[in-house]
Amino acid sequence: LGNSHRIWNAQSGGMTLDIAMYMAHLGSIAYSNQKLLSVSAMGTLQHGVDHTVLANLRYETGFLQFYITGTANTEERVAIQGSNGRIVLDPPAHTPERVRLFRDRGRGKFEETVFDFSLPQEDSKYQWNYPGSIGFVYEIDAVSKALSENRLECPDFTHDESLQVAMILDEIRRQVGA
């Protein structure tokens, strides 16, 4: 990406604001009604914005960890580790078609349950930038429905959840130095 690309704009760019918002939101879903205990992050800067970030979000009963970068073509896999097992969102994690649940069944033993979710059919009149982006139509539909019902927020993602995600992103950027 060239130096003038929006991703390098210090006011709105960087990997955290571009991608990590989706990962942080996963934590609010996985650990709903739990207190976020800590945010730990490290990363590198390029053009004055965060370029590569490793973040750990600690909740009362588990962790959410993610790695994002503008350098490599990462697999975009998310693991949510809890006290009784883990949830893995297979790539691309921003619109997964497969989610795997691993229930702890003793040291080194897990019971795996697989959930498959098909994405809507691609519409040839629209061009999507990334694989699986057609999955964003669910988000678009939810916002559209809320607006048509004169709601000020979506019941699926409240203002409080939005503020928590924003706080997490601000903390990640602060720790990375962006």
Side-chain angles (χ1 to χ4, degrees):
L1 300 175
N3 291 348
S4 62
H5 191 275
R6 65 157 178 84
I7 200 72
W8 306 127
N9 182 326
Q11 297 300 311
S12 62
M15 294 294 110
T16 300
L17 295 180
D18 196 54
I19 299 169
M21 70 179 86
Y22 302 107
M23 305 300 110
H25 180 222
L26 288 173
S28 69
I29 293 169
Y31 298 109
S32 63
N33 302 318
Q34 289 191 28
K35 183 178 179 184
L36 175 66
L37 300 176
S38 64
V39 175
S40 301
M42 62 180 170
T44 62
L45 302 178
Q46 187 172 327
H47 304 288
V49 298
D50 53 302
H51 186 261
T52 299
V53 174
L54 173 62
N56 289 287
L57 310 181
R58 181 175 169 227
Y59 291 87
E60 293 172 311
T61 62
F63 293 85
L64 171 76
Q65 180 182 67
F66 58 85
Y67 169 78
I68 52 177
T69 183
T71 301
N73 184 14
T74 59
E75 67 176 354
E76 199 179 317
R77 180 181 314 274
V78 173
I80 303 167
Q81 182 67 52
S83 56
N84 295 314
R86 72 182 178 282
I87 300 168
V88 176
L89 281 71
D90 286 340
H94 70 283
T95 56
E97 291 187 66
R98 173 168 285 165
V99 176
R100 295 178 293 140
L101 171 65
F102 294 89
R103 290 184 181 95
D104 185 6
R105 296 296 183 232
R107 187 144 181 89
K109 297 177 184 173
F110 294 92
E111 174 188 318
E112 180 181 5
T113 305
V114 177
F115 301 92
D116 289 311
F117 302 94
S118 59
L119 294 177
Q121 292 295 325
E122 292 280 345
D123 189 336
S124 61
K125 68 180 179 178
Y126 298 107
Q127 183 178 10
W128 300 92
N129 292 328
Y130 302 102
S133 290
I134 187 76
F136 286 122
V137 299
Y138 298 116
E139 184 179 342
I140 295 164
D141 289 345
V143 171
S144 178
K145 182 177 183 210
L147 290 172
S148 70
E149 294 172 352
N150 294 317
R151 293 177 183 240
L152 296 177
E153 68 181 0
C154 292
D156 298 326
F157 191 58
T158 66
H159 289 146
D160 287 342
E161 289 172 303
S162 296
L163 290 172
Q164 177 159 357
V165 168
M167 183 278 304
I168 291 167
L169 300 180
D170 287 347
E171 182 59 20
I172 290 171
R173 294 177 75 227
R174 185 192 70 75
Q175 289 183 26
V176 171

